[in-house]
Amino acid sequence: MTPPPSSTLTWAQLRDLRCAELEGAADGWGKASNRADAGRDRIEKQLLNGLRETQRGAAADAAVGRLRQLGQNLQYVYTECGLVRTALNSLAHEMRAQQRALREALDDAEALRFTVHADGSVTYPEAGEGLIDGKPLPGGTASVTASPGLLPPSGLVAPNPNAGQAQDIADRVTKAVRTAAEIDWRFAGILRDLKAEEGLKVPDRTWTDAAGDAAAVRDAARGYLKSGIPLDASPAARKAWWAGLTDEQREEYLAVYPDQIGNLDGIPALVRDTANRDNLQLLIGKLEGQDDEDAETKLAGLREIDRQLKEGRQPPMYLLGIGDEGNGRAIVSYGNPDTARNVSAYVPGLNTSLDEDFARNDLKRARDTAKGANKYDHSSASIVWLGYDAPQSVDGLDSLDVMGDERAMAGGGAFSRFMGGISATNENEDQHLTAIGHSYGSRTVGAATQQVGGIPGVDDIILVGSPGVGVDRAEDLGVGKGHVFVGAAENDVVTKLPSKTQSVAGAVGWVAAGPAGAYLMGDITDPGDDNLWFGRDPASEAFGARRFPVGEGPRLVSGSGVSIDAHSQYFDPQRDAVSADSIALIAAGRADKVKIEDSR
């Protein structure tokens, strides 16, 4: 981008620019942003909760609706004012850099007793000696060039030693002014676009505009803010980085990079929740502007998560991660994982993606676990972690993903880093962390244990509905075999899939007819084998884990047809109370109270 030809900025104007006034204006917008945020926070945490607890009826419902709209309006004000603030601070930051370059050039001119003219040209005095008469060479004026600094001065062209220095100063002055003009023009366009529609309502399309506004400010502020985010640091180093920022710096990172801060392991949960709630609205706005099936699927999931967040559910929800990359990302905690002594994190498996089904059913599993654990220890939180692309069983070659380790390996690394962040930000000296893997998610948890350092801070591992975890012995998971717990329903077909070496029929069955087909073929080809697709059966005696009792679940084939519901009931206190209670006990640090049954 280049400034318009009519730009009239002079070096004197650049020299005299008061960047502190720009920063003062930014502070004013920051105060407006903070007031809007405080108002939204009061609506969500005080007024809405009070209404829900004390009032019933149509009038109360109408009041809740209007308060929610006001809260959303304030959230938009918070976002846009925060963007204006950072745009102004970034403008001041970039202008200061050009002022420094200009002042250095002017100081050099003054030291050499050169004269810098209003148009940027530089007059220099006589100097040196002529080759013929020995007299000083005449002075002159170095003019402004079309491309300052592109062609270095040559002594052959200008023998006066001052000429080259003068041309260098003229080029530096010109470059600083032209760069400052480009900066001014660029930020003027950004600031003009940071405006709301008229009226008192913030419709969805406004969030689409806000998503574009945020992207523009992020791009403009990349030299001002983004380079400081420690993306490659350890969770502990990120925590220390955040703690070392000023309040103003934190507010700006939250306003401009909610996606980065909200998904950064090692950042405190309350901060991640704040950032992700804002990024959630920006993502909804972004996907609103797209017209394809993938966007519609993710929108349904995002809106359902947003609805639950606004309901004020108990235990309280914390949004620890959100994104639209791949099949979508969402990490939700029920209870604050920084203050709870017991924290469990559940990794879902096959067919999980950011859609409405995930937002309803997988979130419910984490919530049920949190509610169950809190019966045994009130200092408990439970997380559902969709931080990877779980395999999807669809027609075509994508179906083969569930047969391979690649997604589990990638997800295992991400899960290990996430748990490292939870361990780093948890405030309890006697913290107790539990990793829970369901279905293919158990393979992902298994992969996480094989990372360097394993899964940081994790004390117990729970595997349910597992097709194998990639190792053949419980002790290979890094927590001691007495801390590995397995639930395997008798009628769960996934826990009886054939091993890779048993028969090609098992693989063909999975792709052609799903897990039910592979189960039937596997049972026929090699009944009683304790090897599954991803290694030894975690429920087998040879694996060496502690198996807790679970309900049998519906049979695969019955008078009602074919069902694999036995694979999805482990967390449900209504459909499998024994299993759900065992998971809750382990998550609450009361594994000694769990009943243990014989292995397969």
Side-chain angles (χ1 to χ4, degrees):
M1 181 184 296
T2 57
S6 59
S7 175
T8 58
L9 182 68
T10 67
W11 66 259
Q13 290 172 320
L14 176 59
R15 178 196 62 192
D16 298 336
L17 177 66
R18 297 179 180 178
C19 290
E21 292 184 357
L22 289 172
E23 292 168 334
D27 289 342
W29 285 98
K31 290 176 182 177
S33 178
N34 290 340
R35 284 196 293 268
D37 189 43
R40 175 189 62 173
D41 191 65
R42 183 164 182 258
I43 287 172
E44 292 179 353
K45 295 183 178 177
Q46 296 180 33
L47 299 181
L48 282 173
N49 287 339
L51 268 175
R52 293 189 192 102
E53 293 171 2
T54 62
Q55 304 295 320
R56 295 289 184 274
D61 291 342
V64 166
R66 299 184 79 169
L67 280 171
R68 281 180 176 166
Q69 180 62 59
L70 178 58
Q72 187 166 357
N73 291 357
L74 289 172
Q75 184 171 17
Y76 177 75
V77 172
Y78 159 77
T79 298
E80 290 291 295
C81 288
L83 293 175
V84 173
R85 171 195 198 169
T86 299
L88 290 171
N89 276 332
S90 186
L91 171 61
H93 172 79
E94 292 196 35
M95 284 299 200
R96 269 207 175 93
Q98 300 313 312
Q99 280 185 322
R100 284 194 297 272
L102 172 66
R103 284 170 181 157
E104 288 172 359
L106 294 176
D107 288 345
D108 288 347
E110 184 179 7
L112 293 167
R113 298 188 177 183
F114 294 175
T115 300
V116 181
H117 301 286
D119 65 351
S121 61
V122 178
T123 297
Y124 55 91
E126 62 181 19
E129 295 181 352
L131 295 176
I132 297 176
D133 56 13
K135 294 181 179 180
L137 296 169
T141 299
S143 61
V144 175
T145 61
S147 301
L150 186 61
L151 296 174
S154 169
L156 296 175
V157 176
N160 185 329
N162 284 333
Q165 292 175 303
Q167 188 62 59
D168 175 64
I169 291 171
D171 287 350
R172 287 156 60 195
V173 168
T174 301
K175 183 178 180 181
V177 172
R178 288 180 179 174
T179 303
E182 183 274 328
I183 293 167
D184 177 62
W185 187 55
R186 175 160 48 92
F187 276 93
I190 291 170
L191 290 166
R192 275 194 301 268
D193 289 339
L194 291 173
K195 60 182 180 180
E197 295 185 13
E198 294 184 5
L200 299 176
K201 188 175 181 180
V202 180
D204 287 343
R205 66 177 179 276
T206 305
W207 283 109
T208 303
D209 293 337
D213 293 341
V217 174
R218 275 197 297 269
D219 183 62
R222 61 186 180 273
Y224 172 57
L225 286 177
K226 188 175 183 180
S227 60
I229 300 177
L231 298 177
D232 296 327
S234 67
R238 292 168 179 170
K239 178 185 177 183
W241 167 76
W242 184 259
L245 296 177
T246 65
D247 288 342
E248 180 177 355
Q249 288 172 324
R250 292 174 188 165
E251 289 164 4
E252 290 202 78
Y253 276 115
L254 285 171
V256 182
Y257 294 106
D259 55 333
Q260 300 265 4
I261 301 303
N263 291 284
L264 200 60
D265 300 324
I267 300 298
L270 283 172
V271 177
R272 293 181 70 163
D273 179 62
T274 297
N276 285 316
R277 287 180 188 240
D278 293 329
N279 192 40
L280 175 62
Q281 301 305 320
L282 294 175
L283 282 173
I284 290 173
K286 172 187 172 182
L287 295 177
E288 276 280 353
Q290 301 176 12
D291 185 20
D292 59 77
E293 186 177 351
D294 181 65
E296 285 298 320
T297 297
K298 290 172 180 172
L299 264 175
L302 292 172
R303 286 177 175 144
E304 176 58 22
I305 292 173
D306 187 42
R307 183 189 69 79
Q308 293 183 33
L309 287 167
K310 290 174 179 175
E311 274 187 352
R313 292 191 165 192
Q314 294 298 322
M317 293 174 67
Y318 294 83
L319 191 57
L320 304 181
I322 199 74
D324 64 341
E325 62 266 36
N327 292 332
R329 303 286 187 267
I331 308 170
V332 177
S333 179
Y334 289 89
N336 187 336
D338 288 351
T339 58
R341 189 182 75 85
N342 305 294
V343 182
S344 64
Y346 145 60
V347 182
L350 176 66
N351 283 339
T352 310
S353 63
L354 180 55
D355 56 16
E356 190 170 3
D357 180 75
F358 166 82
R360 292 185 181 275
N361 296 320
D362 288 280
L363 264 64
K364 181 181 181 299
R365 290 173 180 173
R367 187 182 182 214
D368 284 340
T369 299
K371 290 167 69 176
N374 274 287
K375 290 190 303 184
Y376 298 106
D377 189 330
H378 292 304
S379 185
S380 297
S382 183
I383 299 167
V384 54
W385 183 86
L386 180 59
Y388 79 121
D389 283 329
Q392 307 293 302
S393 62
V394 296
D395 293 334
L397 294 178
D398 287 345
S399 303
L400 297 173
D401 286 333
V402 76
M403 297 170 61
D405 293 300
E406 291 78 10
R407 297 200 177 200
M409 299 301 289
F415 183 64
S416 178
R417 292 189 292 272
F418 170 76
M419 294 303 287
I422 293 297
S423 180
T425 58
N426 190 277
E427 300 168 4
N428 295 276
E429 293 183 2
D430 59 342
Q431 60 183 254
H432 169 253
L433 306 186
T434 303
I436 307 173
H438 174 241
S439 188
Y440 190 88
S442 68
R443 176 66 188 94
T444 303
V445 170
T449 68
Q450 304 307 298
Q451 301 291 310
V452 176
I455 310 179
V458 166
D459 303 283
D460 293 312
I461 292 176
I462 302 174
L463 309 169
V464 289
S466 176
V469 295
V471 299
D472 290 332
R473 301 180 305 168
E475 53 259 43
D476 294 335
L477 295 177
V479 295
K481 67 178 184 179
H483 292 274
V484 179
F485 300 86
V486 175
E490 179 61 29
N491 293 320
D492 183 351
V493 298
V494 175
T495 69
K496 296 183 178 181
L497 291 176
S499 69
K500 296 178 182 179
T501 58
Q502 280 178 286
S503 151
V504 177
V508 172
W510 182 279
V511 176
Y519 164 71
L520 290 173
M521 294 181 202
D523 254 18
I524 293 170
T525 55
D526 195 354
D529 190 0
D530 64 5
N531 286 318
L532 300 181
W533 190 261
F534 293 115
R536 184 155 288 152
D537 179 2
S540 69
E541 182 177 0
F543 190 82
R546 301 172 69 187
R547 185 184 181 192
F548 55 87
V550 301
E552 291 186 353
R555 293 180 61 82
L556 176 65
V557 180
S558 67
S560 302
V562 177
S563 169
I564 58 170
D565 286 351
H567 184 58
S568 60
Q569 298 183 173
Y570 295 99
F571 300 88
D572 195 314
Q574 278 72 49
R575 294 194 293 169
D576 195 339
V578 174
S579 175
D581 191 58
S582 295
I583 293 171
L585 278 166
I586 300 164
R590 303 293 178 85
D592 57 309
K593 303 295 183 183
V594 175
K595 295 179 180 179
I596 302 299
E597 68 177 12
D598 292 338
S599 302
R600 284 179 175 169

PDB file of all heavy atoms in Angstrom, residues 350-351 393 395 399 402 493-494 497-498 505-521 556 564:
ATOM      1  N   LEU A 350     -13.816 -40.859  17.846  1.00  0.00           N
ATOM      2  CA  LEU A 350     -14.370 -40.961  16.498  1.00  0.00           C
ATOM      3  C   LEU A 350     -15.621 -40.106  16.309  1.00  0.00           C
ATOM      4  O   LEU A 350     -16.512 -40.093  17.152  1.00  0.00           O
ATOM      5  CB  LEU A 350     -14.699 -42.434  16.202  1.00  0.00           C
ATOM      6  CG  LEU A 350     -15.386 -42.740  14.878  1.00  0.00           C
ATOM      7  CD1 LEU A 350     -14.461 -42.439  13.720  1.00  0.00           C
ATOM      8  CD2 LEU A 350     -15.843 -44.189  14.844  1.00  0.00           C
ATOM      9  N   ASN A 351     -15.639 -39.398  15.177  1.00  0.00           N
ATOM     10  CA  ASN A 351     -16.780 -38.594  14.744  1.00  0.00           C
ATOM     11  C   ASN A 351     -16.983 -37.314  15.534  1.00  0.00           C
ATOM     12  O   ASN A 351     -17.983 -36.618  15.349  1.00  0.00           O
ATOM     13  CB  ASN A 351     -18.090 -39.397  14.778  1.00  0.00           C
ATOM     14  CG  ASN A 351     -18.209 -40.349  13.612  1.00  0.00           C
ATOM     15  OD1 ASN A 351     -17.548 -40.165  12.585  1.00  0.00           O
ATOM     16  ND2 ASN A 351     -19.011 -41.383  13.756  1.00  0.00           N
ATOM     17  N   SER A 393     -15.982 -40.829  10.484  1.00  0.00           N
ATOM     18  CA  SER A 393     -16.382 -41.989   9.677  1.00  0.00           C
ATOM     19  C   SER A 393     -17.369 -41.533   8.616  1.00  0.00           C
ATOM     20  O   SER A 393     -18.558 -41.432   8.832  1.00  0.00           O
ATOM     21  CB  SER A 393     -17.025 -43.068  10.558  1.00  0.00           C
ATOM     22  OG  SER A 393     -18.197 -42.584  11.162  1.00  0.00           O
ATOM     23  N   ASP A 395     -18.064 -41.568   4.113  1.00  0.00           N
ATOM     24  CA  ASP A 395     -17.804 -42.383   2.936  1.00  0.00           C
ATOM     25  C   ASP A 395     -16.497 -41.958   2.280  1.00  0.00           C
ATOM     26  O   ASP A 395     -16.153 -40.784   2.238  1.00  0.00           O
ATOM     27  CB  ASP A 395     -18.941 -42.249   1.913  1.00  0.00           C
ATOM     28  CG  ASP A 395     -20.238 -42.844   2.451  1.00  0.00           C
ATOM     29  OD1 ASP A 395     -20.147 -43.737   3.314  1.00  0.00           O
ATOM     30  OD2 ASP A 395     -21.315 -42.419   2.005  1.00  0.00           O
ATOM     31  N   SER A 399     -12.467 -42.362   5.813  1.00  0.00           N
ATOM     32  CA  SER A 399     -12.809 -43.380   6.800  1.00  0.00           C
ATOM     33  C   SER A 399     -11.573 -44.093   7.324  1.00  0.00           C
ATOM     34  O   SER A 399     -11.582 -44.656   8.406  1.00  0.00           O
ATOM     35  CB  SER A 399     -13.759 -44.412   6.182  1.00  0.00           C
ATOM     36  OG  SER A 399     -14.928 -43.792   5.684  1.00  0.00           O
ATOM     37  N   VAL A 402      -9.423 -43.369  11.024  1.00  0.00           N
ATOM     38  CA  VAL A 402      -9.617 -43.993  12.325  1.00  0.00           C
ATOM     39  C   VAL A 402      -8.774 -45.250  12.469  1.00  0.00           C
ATOM     40  O   VAL A 402      -8.563 -45.750  13.574  1.00  0.00           O
ATOM     41  CB  VAL A 402     -11.110 -44.306  12.550  1.00  0.00           C
ATOM     42  CG1 VAL A 402     -11.535 -45.533  11.757  1.00  0.00           C
ATOM     43  CG2 VAL A 402     -11.421 -44.485  14.027  1.00  0.00           C
ATOM     44  N   VAL A 493     -18.927 -52.601  20.987  1.00  0.00           N
ATOM     45  CA  VAL A 493     -18.214 -53.254  19.890  1.00  0.00           C
ATOM     46  C   VAL A 493     -16.808 -52.692  19.696  1.00  0.00           C
ATOM     47  O   VAL A 493     -15.903 -53.399  19.246  1.00  0.00           O
ATOM     48  CB  VAL A 493     -19.013 -53.135  18.575  1.00  0.00           C
ATOM     49  CG1 VAL A 493     -20.346 -53.827  18.693  1.00  0.00           C
ATOM     50  CG2 VAL A 493     -19.195 -51.669  18.176  1.00  0.00           C
ATOM     51  N   VAL A 494     -16.605 -51.428  20.049  1.00  0.00           N
ATOM     52  CA  VAL A 494     -15.297 -50.815  19.821  1.00  0.00           C
ATOM     53  C   VAL A 494     -14.232 -51.461  20.699  1.00  0.00           C
ATOM     54  O   VAL A 494     -13.062 -51.535  20.322  1.00  0.00           O
ATOM     55  CB  VAL A 494     -15.365 -49.297  20.058  1.00  0.00           C
ATOM     56  CG1 VAL A 494     -13.986 -48.653  19.945  1.00  0.00           C
ATOM     57  CG2 VAL A 494     -16.320 -48.659  19.048  1.00  0.00           C
ATOM     58  N   LEU A 497     -12.718 -54.738  18.813  1.00  0.00           N
ATOM     59  CA  LEU A 497     -12.286 -54.710  17.423  1.00  0.00           C
ATOM     60  C   LEU A 497     -11.108 -55.650  17.218  1.00  0.00           C
ATOM     61  O   LEU A 497     -10.264 -55.812  18.100  1.00  0.00           O
ATOM     62  CB  LEU A 497     -11.871 -53.285  17.031  1.00  0.00           C
ATOM     63  CG  LEU A 497     -13.006 -52.259  16.937  1.00  0.00           C
ATOM     64  CD1 LEU A 497     -12.429 -50.892  16.637  1.00  0.00           C
ATOM     65  CD2 LEU A 497     -14.000 -52.659  15.863  1.00  0.00           C
ATOM     66  N   PRO A 498     -11.011 -56.259  16.039  1.00  0.00           N
ATOM     67  CA  PRO A 498      -9.897 -57.188  15.781  1.00  0.00           C
ATOM     68  C   PRO A 498      -8.576 -56.431  15.683  1.00  0.00           C
ATOM     69  O   PRO A 498      -8.533 -55.254  15.382  1.00  0.00           O
ATOM     70  CB  PRO A 498     -10.274 -57.813  14.439  1.00  0.00           C
ATOM     71  CG  PRO A 498     -11.107 -56.769  13.769  1.00  0.00           C
ATOM     72  CD  PRO A 498     -11.908 -56.131  14.874  1.00  0.00           C
ATOM     73  N   ALA A 505     -10.227 -58.986   7.083  1.00  0.00           N
ATOM     74  CA  ALA A 505     -11.683 -58.843   7.166  1.00  0.00           C
ATOM     75  C   ALA A 505     -12.075 -57.782   8.178  1.00  0.00           C
ATOM     76  O   ALA A 505     -13.041 -57.049   7.988  1.00  0.00           O
ATOM     77  CB  ALA A 505     -12.319 -60.181   7.549  1.00  0.00           C
ATOM     78  N   GLY A 506     -11.328 -57.685   9.273  1.00  0.00           N
ATOM     79  CA  GLY A 506     -11.668 -56.685  10.284  1.00  0.00           C
ATOM     80  C   GLY A 506     -11.543 -55.286   9.732  1.00  0.00           C
ATOM     81  O   GLY A 506     -12.405 -54.436   9.954  1.00  0.00           O
ATOM     82  N   ALA A 507     -10.463 -55.020   9.001  1.00  0.00           N
ATOM     83  CA  ALA A 507     -10.266 -53.697   8.422  1.00  0.00           C
ATOM     84  C   ALA A 507     -11.338 -53.389   7.387  1.00  0.00           C
ATOM     85  O   ALA A 507     -11.890 -52.295   7.339  1.00  0.00           O
ATOM     86  CB  ALA A 507      -8.874 -53.602   7.787  1.00  0.00           C
ATOM     87  N   VAL A 508     -11.606 -54.385   6.540  1.00  0.00           N
ATOM     88  CA  VAL A 508     -12.640 -54.195   5.534  1.00  0.00           C
ATOM     89  C   VAL A 508     -13.985 -53.924   6.204  1.00  0.00           C
ATOM     90  O   VAL A 508     -14.763 -53.080   5.777  1.00  0.00           O
ATOM     91  CB  VAL A 508     -12.729 -55.431   4.614  1.00  0.00           C
ATOM     92  CG1 VAL A 508     -13.925 -55.316   3.686  1.00  0.00           C
ATOM     93  CG2 VAL A 508     -11.449 -55.578   3.814  1.00  0.00           C
ATOM     94  N   GLY A 509     -14.247 -54.637   7.290  1.00  0.00           N
ATOM     95  CA  GLY A 509     -15.508 -54.440   8.001  1.00  0.00           C
ATOM     96  C   GLY A 509     -15.638 -53.035   8.544  1.00  0.00           C
ATOM     97  O   GLY A 509     -16.704 -52.434   8.485  1.00  0.00           O
ATOM     98  N   TRP A 510     -14.520 -52.485   9.059  1.00  0.00           N
ATOM     99  CA  TRP A 510     -14.594 -51.128   9.615  1.00  0.00           C
ATOM    100  C   TRP A 510     -14.949 -50.112   8.527  1.00  0.00           C
ATOM    101  O   TRP A 510     -15.809 -49.271   8.691  1.00  0.00           O
ATOM    102  CB  TRP A 510     -13.243 -50.769  10.250  1.00  0.00           C
ATOM    103  CG  TRP A 510     -13.287 -49.408  10.873  1.00  0.00           C
ATOM    104  CD1 TRP A 510     -13.151 -48.205  10.238  1.00  0.00           C
ATOM    105  CD2 TRP A 510     -13.542 -49.091  12.234  1.00  0.00           C
ATOM    106  NE1 TRP A 510     -13.287 -47.181  11.108  1.00  0.00           N
ATOM    107  CE2 TRP A 510     -13.528 -47.697  12.354  1.00  0.00           C
ATOM    108  CE3 TRP A 510     -13.773 -49.872  13.362  1.00  0.00           C
ATOM    109  CZ2 TRP A 510     -13.736 -47.048  13.560  1.00  0.00           C
ATOM    110  CZ3 TRP A 510     -13.969 -49.221  14.573  1.00  0.00           C
ATOM    111  CH2 TRP A 510     -13.951 -47.830  14.667  1.00  0.00           C
ATOM    112  N   VAL A 511     -14.245 -50.208   7.392  1.00  0.00           N
ATOM    113  CA  VAL A 511     -14.470 -49.234   6.335  1.00  0.00           C
ATOM    114  C   VAL A 511     -15.832 -49.422   5.681  1.00  0.00           C
ATOM    115  O   VAL A 511     -16.551 -48.480   5.402  1.00  0.00           O
ATOM    116  CB  VAL A 511     -13.349 -49.324   5.274  1.00  0.00           C
ATOM    117  CG1 VAL A 511     -13.625 -48.383   4.122  1.00  0.00           C
ATOM    118  CG2 VAL A 511     -11.999 -49.016   5.918  1.00  0.00           C
ATOM    119  N   ALA A 512     -16.201 -50.702   5.453  1.00  0.00           N
ATOM    120  CA  ALA A 512     -17.417 -50.974   4.698  1.00  0.00           C
ATOM    121  C   ALA A 512     -18.671 -50.887   5.542  1.00  0.00           C
ATOM    122  O   ALA A 512     -19.708 -50.414   5.086  1.00  0.00           O
ATOM    123  CB  ALA A 512     -17.330 -52.361   4.063  1.00  0.00           C
ATOM    124  N   ALA A 513     -18.591 -51.353   6.790  1.00  0.00           N
ATOM    125  CA  ALA A 513     -19.819 -51.444   7.575  1.00  0.00           C
ATOM    126  C   ALA A 513     -19.709 -50.777   8.938  1.00  0.00           C
ATOM    127  O   ALA A 513     -20.598 -50.898   9.747  1.00  0.00           O
ATOM    128  CB  ALA A 513     -20.190 -52.919   7.768  1.00  0.00           C
ATOM    129  N   GLY A 514     -18.586 -50.077   9.187  1.00  0.00           N
ATOM    130  CA  GLY A 514     -18.437 -49.411  10.466  1.00  0.00           C
ATOM    131  C   GLY A 514     -17.967 -50.388  11.526  1.00  0.00           C
ATOM    132  O   GLY A 514     -17.660 -51.548  11.258  1.00  0.00           O
ATOM    133  N   PRO A 515     -17.864 -49.932  12.785  1.00  0.00           N
ATOM    134  CA  PRO A 515     -17.334 -50.784  13.851  1.00  0.00           C
ATOM    135  C   PRO A 515     -18.150 -52.040  14.096  1.00  0.00           C
ATOM    136  O   PRO A 515     -17.609 -53.068  14.494  1.00  0.00           O
ATOM    137  CB  PRO A 515     -17.357 -49.849  15.064  1.00  0.00           C
ATOM    138  CG  PRO A 515     -18.298 -48.741  14.717  1.00  0.00           C
ATOM    139  CD  PRO A 515     -18.214 -48.579  13.250  1.00  0.00           C
ATOM    140  N   ALA A 516     -19.438 -51.975  13.843  1.00  0.00           N
ATOM    141  CA  ALA A 516     -20.265 -53.169  14.063  1.00  0.00           C
ATOM    142  C   ALA A 516     -19.842 -54.281  13.110  1.00  0.00           C
ATOM    143  O   ALA A 516     -19.685 -55.445  13.502  1.00  0.00           O
ATOM    144  CB  ALA A 516     -21.738 -52.831  13.853  1.00  0.00           C
ATOM    145  N   GLY A 517     -19.614 -53.920  11.828  1.00  0.00           N
ATOM    146  CA  GLY A 517     -19.196 -54.920  10.863  1.00  0.00           C
ATOM    147  C   GLY A 517     -17.835 -55.488  11.200  1.00  0.00           C
ATOM    148  O   GLY A 517     -17.602 -56.693  11.113  1.00  0.00           O
ATOM    149  N   ALA A 518     -16.905 -54.629  11.612  1.00  0.00           N
ATOM    150  CA  ALA A 518     -15.571 -55.098  11.969  1.00  0.00           C
ATOM    151  C   ALA A 518     -15.632 -55.998  13.188  1.00  0.00           C
ATOM    152  O   ALA A 518     -14.913 -56.996  13.280  1.00  0.00           O
ATOM    153  CB  ALA A 518     -14.660 -53.897  12.257  1.00  0.00           C
ATOM    154  N   TYR A 519     -16.499 -55.667  14.136  1.00  0.00           N
ATOM    155  CA  TYR A 519     -16.643 -56.475  15.351  1.00  0.00           C
ATOM    156  C   TYR A 519     -17.127 -57.883  15.003  1.00  0.00           C
ATOM    157  O   TYR A 519     -16.580 -58.880  15.468  1.00  0.00           O
ATOM    158  CB  TYR A 519     -17.615 -55.775  16.280  1.00  0.00           C
ATOM    159  CG  TYR A 519     -18.164 -56.656  17.390  1.00  0.00           C
ATOM    160  CD1 TYR A 519     -17.354 -57.051  18.447  1.00  0.00           C
ATOM    161  CD2 TYR A 519     -19.486 -57.079  17.365  1.00  0.00           C
ATOM    162  CE1 TYR A 519     -17.849 -57.855  19.466  1.00  0.00           C
ATOM    163  CE2 TYR A 519     -19.994 -57.876  18.376  1.00  0.00           C
ATOM    164  CZ  TYR A 519     -19.175 -58.251  19.429  1.00  0.00           C
ATOM    165  OH  TYR A 519     -19.673 -59.041  20.425  1.00  0.00           O
ATOM    166  N   LEU A 520     -18.147 -57.962  14.176  1.00  0.00           N
ATOM    167  CA  LEU A 520     -18.698 -59.263  13.827  1.00  0.00           C
ATOM    168  C   LEU A 520     -17.662 -60.109  13.093  1.00  0.00           C
ATOM    169  O   LEU A 520     -17.463 -61.285  13.398  1.00  0.00           O
ATOM    170  CB  LEU A 520     -19.944 -59.070  12.950  1.00  0.00           C
ATOM    171  CG  LEU A 520     -21.173 -58.491  13.665  1.00  0.00           C
ATOM    172  CD1 LEU A 520     -22.257 -58.196  12.649  1.00  0.00           C
ATOM    173  CD2 LEU A 520     -21.674 -59.456  14.730  1.00  0.00           C
ATOM    174  N   MET A 521     -16.957 -59.510  12.123  1.00  0.00           N
ATOM    175  CA  MET A 521     -15.957 -60.252  11.365  1.00  0.00           C
ATOM    176  C   MET A 521     -14.799 -60.654  12.263  1.00  0.00           C
ATOM    177  O   MET A 521     -14.259 -61.759  12.173  1.00  0.00           O
ATOM    178  CB  MET A 521     -15.453 -59.405  10.195  1.00  0.00           C
ATOM    179  CG  MET A 521     -16.517 -59.129   9.145  1.00  0.00           C
ATOM    180  SD  MET A 521     -15.831 -58.171   7.800  1.00  0.00           S
ATOM    181  CE  MET A 521     -17.313 -57.459   7.114  1.00  0.00           C
ATOM    182  N   LEU A 556     -25.681 -55.420  20.553  1.00  0.00           N
ATOM    183  CA  LEU A 556     -25.414 -54.959  19.194  1.00  0.00           C
ATOM    184  C   LEU A 556     -26.612 -55.196  18.285  1.00  0.00           C
ATOM    185  O   LEU A 556     -27.035 -54.306  17.539  1.00  0.00           O
ATOM    186  CB  LEU A 556     -24.175 -55.673  18.645  1.00  0.00           C
ATOM    187  CG  LEU A 556     -23.813 -55.375  17.188  1.00  0.00           C
ATOM    188  CD1 LEU A 556     -23.422 -53.924  17.018  1.00  0.00           C
ATOM    189  CD2 LEU A 556     -22.698 -56.304  16.705  1.00  0.00           C
ATOM    190  N   ILE A 564     -25.089 -49.380  18.575  1.00  0.00           N
ATOM    191  CA  ILE A 564     -23.777 -49.316  19.228  1.00  0.00           C
ATOM    192  C   ILE A 564     -23.836 -48.337  20.401  1.00  0.00           C
ATOM    193  O   ILE A 564     -22.833 -47.737  20.788  1.00  0.00           O
ATOM    194  CB  ILE A 564     -22.668 -48.923  18.230  1.00  0.00           C
ATOM    195  CG1 ILE A 564     -22.961 -47.566  17.579  1.00  0.00           C
ATOM    196  CG2 ILE A 564     -22.475 -49.999  17.176  1.00  0.00           C
ATOM    197  CD1 ILE A 564     -21.778 -47.028  16.768  1.00  0.00           C
TER     198      ILE A 564
END
